[in-house]
Amino acid sequence: MADETPIDGAALAALSLARSGVPSMYGVVGIPVTSLASRAAASGVRFIAFHNEQSAGYAASAHGYLTGRPGVLLTVSGPGCVHGLAGLSNAAINAWPMLMISGSCDQSDVGRGDFQELDQVEAVKPFSKFSAKATRASEIPRLVSECLAKTVSGRPGGCYLDIPSDVLRERIPNSEAEKLLSEISQNPSFLEEKVETLEIDRAVSLLRHAERPLVVVGKGAAFARAEDELKALISRTGIPFLPTPMGKGLLPDTHELSATAARSLAIGKCDVALVIGARLNWLLHFGEPPKWSPDVKIILVDVSSEEIELRKPCVGLVGDAKKVLNLLNREIMDDPFCFGRSHPWVEALSKKAKDNVAKMEAQLAKDVVPFNFLTPMRIIRDAILDVGSPAPIVVSEGANTMDVGRAVVVQMEPRTRLDAGTWGTMGVGLGYCIAAAVASPGRLVVAVEGDSGFGFSAMEVETLVRYQLPVIVIVFNNGGVYGGDRRNPDEITGPYKDDPAPTSFVPGAAYHKLIEAFGGKGYIVGTPLELKSALSESFAARKPAVINVTIDPYAGAESGRLQHKN
């Protein structure tokens, strides 16, 4: 006889996630989703409870990138959903798979001013590939499955599922629930756009006949797990490569064909650029002059045909980076070519890179106290390299801290750098750290944060301690955004001239004390010896820690070489 024990919508949603293969979920509980979170944990979906939905949403978005499967965010209704939009929008812009699930008010009370009432399906539209609302409990399994599937189809991104409180309470017979759950697929399949053989031929021909070819790799290639195929292409052809910030590590930064240290020359002089999993947006100067040659021929590899239409490259290859690289490699194998180390272009980039690295190393070699940004970053770089493999995941945000860290910290393995990304999102730090620790067990996580970036999500150090995650947070404390009072004398006037500068924080803030309040380990350091000792001890312990690094407040500058936009 069939089991007719009733099951409510909250339990059905939890089981739907578990049967879909979701390993973990991030969020903030409250009316009406607390039961859903508890049921999820009981069903085998680890629930990581945060202090605010923004950080939980950033965690869910990063989880999608690191694992290749959608990260899941759970929020309460109304303001919880609105706060969660930070994570959903971050996933949308970075093209990472994520599902946001929010509770909402009773359907019968819509329009009457119910508790936290909001038309959430309408609110998420700008940032969601697909949005749905379960109007009955029986719809939940299908909609969970459909939303999860759509996050990874085509260009990855965020989807949204709204579950009203009356639907979460609604009960249906267990036998009916089991039938609905049995129809969920853990491995949805989609029709993939076939890459035209003719276009592959054209792309390889352009590379073969180029005088100054360049391969540019972005985080889309990292998401696609295309590192082996990329390695084969670079080894086979001898073409120099340039990673975007989060494409670092697909091939080791120390690779002899890496053009990272000769970026301006590589971009400015290349005549054919194979761009894989990276959009021609602001990070790559839109692929246009004056940074790029007006005559450059771009071969663009992207999962989205719309992106190809938008950018109008010389050759557009629509498809997954791993698949397209496989096709390119096969075509090259049939008629091999290779730019040797003595090729003028390869030699020119190699010489420029070595010269620039030598200049940087000369600066890094100096022990400057009070600390500038370079001295502690060198010490951190060396400590991370000493860990070996599996390499720590480095999370980086802040103005000078992220800019300097990108140039100094060495990535040796794929998907080991998380930063502000395509949208330049500040506040991602602790959320990313938590996702990295949960999604990549066995790896140490090291956050290198500016004090401004850290401030967005600093309370989540309690979450680190609560779950005992192996995360070391290093705060570059220079007393403000870019570093203290940056005003010109003519700006210090008016009735509020005695207020702190908009860029200033409390000098000497004891950020390390924050984690100590929750039972974690805090360090304050201001010399090379103190920093080395703190890193050695905290890395060995693999327990939550905050290292408060005192930086000269006058050492920084406005961020990202984007002063013209401010």
Side-chain angles (χ1 to χ4, degrees):
M1 183 175 174
D3 183 0
E4 294 303 313
T5 307
I7 180 173
D8 66 14
L12 188 57
L15 287 168
S16 299
L17 291 166
R19 299 280 180 94
S20 297
V22 172
S24 55
M25 178 163 56
Y26 308 89
V28 177
V29 296
I31 296 170
V33 298
T34 305
S35 178
L36 198 167
S38 298
R39 297 279 192 170
S43 301
V45 180
R46 189 182 190 190
F47 188 80
I48 307 295
F50 279 70
H51 285 276
N52 76 58
E53 292 90 354
Q54 282 195 352
S55 289
Y58 293 142
S61 68
H63 182 105
Y65 170 66
L66 291 169
T67 66
R69 295 179 65 86
V72 180
L73 167 66
L74 180 66
T75 84
V76 302
S77 49
C81 173
V82 171
H83 294 164
L85 286 178
L88 192 66
S89 59
N90 194 60
I93 302 301
N94 283 292
W96 294 346
M98 172 184 162
L99 171 60
M100 175 168 141
I101 300 174
S102 297
S104 59
C105 71
D106 279 20
Q107 294 175 92
S108 60
D109 290 327
V110 169
R112 302 173 65 198
D114 194 20
F115 175 69
Q116 294 188 333
E117 182 184 340
L118 174 69
D119 185 347
Q120 293 164 193
V121 172
E122 191 64 30
V124 305
K125 270 186 179 177
F127 310 112
S128 177
K129 291 176 65 179
F130 174 77
S131 303
K133 183 171 187 171
T135 58
R136 300 188 304 277
S138 60
E139 296 175 349
I140 290 174
R142 174 182 60 81
L143 291 177
V144 166
S145 183
E146 188 174 359
C147 286
L148 288 170
K150 286 185 183 295
T151 66
V152 292
S153 67
R155 164 161 282 167
C159 291
Y160 174 74
L161 177 58
D162 191 282
I163 312 180
S165 55
D166 55 302
V167 175
L168 289 167
R169 295 192 307 269
E170 184 189 345
R171 299 165 81 83
I172 64 174
N174 189 63
S175 58
E176 182 184 349
E178 276 302 324
K179 182 177 183 301
L180 294 167
L181 290 166
S182 69
E183 297 168 1
I184 287 177
S185 169
Q186 288 197 29
N187 297 296
S189 59
F190 295 92
L191 292 173
E192 293 187 13
E193 295 190 55
K194 188 175 180 182
V195 183
E196 292 294 332
T197 307
L198 180 62
E199 295 301 291
I200 291 289
D201 289 347
R202 287 183 62 209
V204 171
S205 179
L206 280 172
L207 291 170
R208 177 180 281 111
H209 296 106
E211 293 182 12
R212 297 177 302 281
L214 180 70
V215 174
V216 179
V217 288
K219 63 179 178 291
F223 176 80
R225 282 18 185 205
E227 51 266 24
D228 290 342
E229 292 75 14
L230 176 66
K231 180 180 179 181
L233 178 77
I234 299 303
S235 299
R236 191 166 283 137
T237 64
I239 297 174
F241 69 93
L242 177 69
T244 63
M246 283 177 58
K248 280 163 61 74
L250 270 166
L251 292 177
D253 283 347
T254 53
H255 194 289
E256 58 189 345
L257 287 171
S258 171
T260 298
R263 186 180 190 273
S264 296
L265 176 63
I267 284 178
K269 296 295 184 183
C270 70
D271 60 349
V272 175
L274 172 60
V275 181
I276 309 165
R279 276 173 282 178
L280 296 171
N281 55 20
W282 68 280
L283 283 162
L284 287 173
H285 315 290
F286 309 106
E288 297 172 351
K291 297 292 185 180
W292 294 76
S293 164
D295 302 320
V296 66
K297 294 179 174 65
I298 291 177
I299 305 161
L300 184 59
V301 179
D302 199 280
V303 292
S304 168
S305 56
E306 288 81 8
E307 184 71 15
I308 303 293
E309 292 287 329
L310 173 68
R311 307 297 177 182
K312 296 180 172 51
C314 181
V315 176
L317 301 173
V318 180
D320 172 81
K322 187 182 183 80
K323 177 182 174 183
V324 173
L325 276 168
N326 253 324
L327 293 171
L328 290 169
N329 279 325
R330 265 189 241 162
E331 180 70 19
I332 291 166
M333 281 172 65
D334 290 342
D335 186 6
F337 66 93
C338 183
F339 292 78
R341 298 293 183 269
S342 60
H343 188 281
W345 171 239
V346 178
E347 275 195 335
L349 285 178
S350 177
K351 182 180 184 305
K352 185 66 174 176
K354 284 175 183 173
D355 289 349
N356 286 343
V357 167
K359 289 175 187 174
M360 173 68 83
E361 288 300 323
Q363 293 297 312
L364 289 169
K366 301 171 186 174
D367 279 343
V368 178
V369 180
F371 277 150
N372 59 9
F373 282 86
L374 292 173
T375 298
M377 200 67 78
R378 180 203 79 221
I379 296 167
I380 292 163
R381 175 195 67 183
D382 294 346
I384 289 170
L385 285 171
D386 284 346
V387 173
S389 187
I393 293 176
V394 177
V395 176
S396 184
E397 68 172 334
N400 298 278
T401 309
M402 186 172 68
D403 290 344
V404 174
R406 183 172 58 245
V408 175
V409 176
V410 177
Q411 253 66 51
M412 300 297 287
E413 297 176 13
R415 295 169 297 280
T416 55
R417 179 180 172 82
L418 292 164
D419 63 22
T422 305
W423 222 11
T425 312
M426 291 294 146
V428 295
L430 272 291
Y432 280 9
C433 286
I434 292 164
V438 171
S440 306
R443 288 192 191 263
L444 181 68
V445 181
V446 180
V448 187
E449 303 260 305
D451 50 359
S452 174
F454 176 65
F456 281 86
S457 60
M459 190 62 186
E460 300 301 345
V461 298
E462 188 276 337
T463 310
L464 299 181
V465 175
R466 187 169 11 115
Y467 290 97
Q468 282 298 293
L469 300 174
V471 177
I472 313 303
V473 181
I474 304 165
V475 182
F476 278 47
N477 182 358
N478 63 352
V481 182
Y482 315 132
D485 193 339
R486 294 292 164 131
R487 294 174 295 181
N488 296 318
D490 62 353
E491 293 176 306
I492 308 173
T493 185
Y496 304 109
K497 67 179 185 301
D498 295 326
D499 273 2
T503 54
S504 295
F505 297 151
V506 171
Y511 294 118
H512 58 293
K513 295 286 187 183
L514 185 60
I515 198 166
E516 290 177 353
F518 306 113
K521 180 69 175 175
Y523 303 84
I524 182 164
V525 303
T527 68
L529 191 61
E530 290 170 346
L531 178 55
K532 288 175 185 177
S533 174
L535 290 169
S536 177
E537 184 178 306
S538 61
F539 280 22
R542 293 194 170 224
K543 298 286 186 183
V546 170
I547 302 175
N548 186 7
V549 183
T550 303
I551 304 290
D552 182 346
Y554 297 102
E558 196 160 2
S559 70
R561 305 186 187 92
L562 293 173
Q563 292 93 334
H564 63 288
K565 292 186 180 291
N566 198 6

